[in-house]
Amino acid sequence: MKAGIVGLPNVGKSTLFNCLSNAKAQSANFPFCTIEPNIGVVNVPDPRIASLEGLVNPERVVPATVEIVDIAGLVKGASKGEGLGNQFLGNIRETDAILHVLRCFDNDNIVHVNGSVDPLRDKDIIDMELQLKDLETVEKKLEKVKRTAKTGNKVAQKEAAVLDIIKLHLESGAPVRSLELSEDDYTAFVKPLQCITAKPVMYVCNVDEKAAVSGNSYVDQVKQAVASENAEVLVLAVATEAEINELDDFEERQLFLKDIGLEEPGSAKLIRSAYKLLKLQTYFTAGVKEVRAWTIPIGSLAPEAAGVIHTDFEKGFIRAEVIAYNDYVEFGSEAKVKEAGKMRVEGKNYTIKDGDVVHFLFNV
C-alpha cells in the first residue's frame, strides 16, 4: 500500500519526502528536480509498540510501515503530455492514496513555477489535469461499452448509464471520489477504471515556521475550498521539519519543537494520517523473540490477518487467541491476562480490531 506525494514543481515535495523517510531525495530550488519517483518505507509512529516492548522485553521490535512515493512535479497540460505529465500520471496511478502538497508560504528566494503563491490556483491546476486524464479513460471505455449496449446487452446498458454519470461528474470539475453511487455499481463499473481522482486525498499545506501551529490565510483558503471533498487538511512547516530532522540529539529536537509550539513532529502526524488514509490498521504479536506490528486493511478477518504473517497461517487457520491492547497493558503480561479471563478465543469470522495482540493457531 503506497501513498504518493504530488504537487506542482518546487512546492516542497522532496523535502517532505526526506523528512518522512530520511532517504535524502534530491531537493533543490528549481522545477523538475525529481524525475524518477523516490520510494521510502516509513515507520508508523505508535507508542503502543514501545509499551509492549517494555512489558515483554523482546530480542527485537518491528514497527508497522507504510510506503511513501515522491513523484515528479506536474504542470498545466500534463494530461496531454506536457512536462513530465505522462510519467507523473502513470506513477500516481500506481499509488493507493494521494498526499497533495500545496505551497502556503511567501518567500521571494524560492521560485514558484507560476510566478506567485496561490494554493487554490495550484490545487485547481493539478485537479484539472487529473480529471482530464480520468475523463480520457472514461470516454475510451464508454465508446466500447456503448457499442455492446446497442446489441441489447443489459449489463452493458447499465454500465453505459453509470459511465455517462461519471463523465458528466468529471466534466463539472469534480473528482470521482465525490461521486455518490451504490456500492455494487462502484465495485462493478468504477473500480476497474482505476481513476486517479477516485483515490483518497490529504492536502498538506506547506507553511513557514511561524504558521506551523495555527496556519495562515492561505491554509484557511484551502480548508474552505476542500470542505465539500471530505478530505483531510494537514498543516506542516516542511523546511522547519527538515531542520529538526538534521538534529541528532533527541532532547535538542524536543526543545526545537517546544520553541515553535509543537508536541511532536508534524511529520509523525502526517505518517499516521497517511496510514489511516490508506484504510490500514495495526495488530500486534508479542513474544520474547519479537514484538511486531502487522499492517492489515481495516475490516480484515482473522484468517486474512494471519495470512500477512505467512500464507500457511491463513490456509490452515484454526483459531486466534486475542488480547485487547488495553488489557495487556493493564495486567502486564500474557499470563496475567489469562488468569483474569481476558484472553478471547476467536474463530475465522472474527474481525481483527486495531491494537489487538494476537496469537494464531494453524495446521497445514
Side-chain angles (χ1 to χ4, degrees):
M1 301 289 281
K2 294 188 282 192
I5 302 176
V6 306
L8 291 178
N10 221 27
V11 296
K13 300 186 305 301
S14 294
T15 305
L16 174 60
F17 175 81
N18 289 337
C19 286
L20 298 179
S21 67
N22 287 326
K24 303 304 177 192
Q26 184 185 9
S27 57
N29 187 22
F30 57 88
F32 301 124
C33 180
T34 302
I35 297 177
E36 293 298 327
N38 298 296
I39 300 175
V41 179
V42 183
N43 291 342
V44 179
D46 190 337
R48 295 176 300 183
I49 198 167
S51 296
L52 290 173
E53 179 186 10
L55 294 171
V56 178
N57 193 27
E59 292 176 15
R60 69 170 187 160
V61 176
V62 183
T65 60
V66 62
E67 279 194 7
I68 303 291
V69 186
D70 176 25
I71 298 171
L74 176 149
V75 295
K76 190 173 182 180
S79 58
K80 304 300 180 187
E82 293 293 328
L84 299 168
N86 291 329
Q87 182 171 333
F88 172 97
L89 294 164
N91 291 333
I92 193 174
R93 196 182 292 280
E94 294 171 5
T95 65
D96 303 289
I98 297 171
L99 309 179
H100 186 161
V101 181
L102 296 167
R103 178 171 168 176
C104 293
F105 66 90
D106 294 305
N107 187 333
D108 293 337
N109 294 320
I110 300 178
V111 297
H112 190 289
V113 70
N114 288 322
S116 62
V117 177
D118 186 342
L120 298 190
R121 176 204 57 210
D122 296 353
K123 174 186 176 301
D124 287 344
I125 288 172
I126 288 195
D127 285 351
M128 178 64 72
E129 296 305 323
L130 300 185
Q131 288 159 16
L132 286 171
K133 199 64 180 177
D134 281 349
L135 189 58
E136 180 185 307
T137 301
V138 171
E139 287 175 338
K140 284 181 180 176
K141 181 68 173 178
L142 186 57
E143 189 179 335
K144 293 178 183 176
V145 171
K146 280 188 172 178
R147 285 200 295 268
T148 308
K150 285 179 181 177
T151 67
N153 184 300
K154 298 294 185 184
V155 175
Q157 289 172 352
K158 172 66 173 174
E159 184 173 7
V162 173
L163 289 171
D164 273 325
I165 292 170
I166 300 170
K167 182 173 178 287
L168 288 170
H169 191 71
L170 286 165
E171 287 174 340
S172 74
V176 172
R177 64 180 166 272
S178 66
L179 187 60
E180 293 185 8
L181 288 171
S182 71
E183 189 173 336
D184 287 345
D185 284 349
Y186 189 90
T187 301
F189 306 127
V190 181
K191 208 169 182 181
L193 294 171
Q194 293 185 301
C195 289
I196 299 172
T197 66
K199 299 177 188 295
V201 64
M202 180 197 307
Y203 294 99
V204 182
C205 293
N206 183 11
V207 300
D208 54 22
E209 184 177 316
K210 63 184 179 183
V213 177
S214 55
N216 55 28
S217 60
Y218 291 132
V219 174
D220 294 339
Q221 290 171 27
V222 172
K223 287 181 177 178
Q224 188 174 350
V226 306
S228 62
E229 287 190 32
N230 194 29
E232 186 173 352
V233 177
L234 201 67
V235 178
L236 200 67
V238 175
T240 304
E241 295 277 339
E243 288 180 38
I244 294 172
N245 242 23
E246 292 298 323
L247 299 173
D248 294 325
D249 186 79
F250 175 78
E251 289 186 7
E252 280 187 49
R253 289 188 182 194
Q254 293 305 112
L255 284 171
F256 198 143
L257 288 168
K258 187 177 179 181
D259 284 345
I260 61 175
L262 295 175
E263 294 181 3
E264 66 172 350
S267 54
K269 185 177 180 182
L270 188 146
I271 295 166
R272 285 197 298 269
S273 297
Y275 196 70
K276 290 178 182 176
L277 192 68
L278 289 163
K279 297 183 179 177
L280 300 175
Q281 66 178 15
T282 300
Y283 78 87
F284 301 98
T285 50
V288 292
K289 291 286 185 184
E290 177 184 87
V291 166
R292 182 163 184 156
W294 298 90
T295 298
I296 56 172
I298 293 171
S300 294
L301 297 178
E304 296 168 331
V308 173
I309 299 176
H310 197 285
T311 52
D312 285 349
F313 282 31
E314 182 172 5
K315 290 175 186 174
F317 178 87
I318 299 172
R319 64 180 181 272
E321 295 176 345
V322 182
I323 302 171
Y325 167 78
N326 288 339
D327 287 338
Y328 203 114
V329 171
E330 181 182 348
F331 292 99
S333 71
E334 185 177 311
K336 289 181 180 177
V337 169
K338 285 180 179 178
E339 286 176 17
K342 292 290 186 177
M343 176 183 281
R344 308 188 312 276
V345 176
E346 303 286 359
K348 62 182 179 181
N349 293 321
Y350 175 69
T351 301
I352 298 289
K353 294 180 177 61
D354 185 60
D356 278 349
V357 183
V358 188
H359 176 63
F360 293 107
L361 284 81
F362 71 102
N363 183 26
V364 177

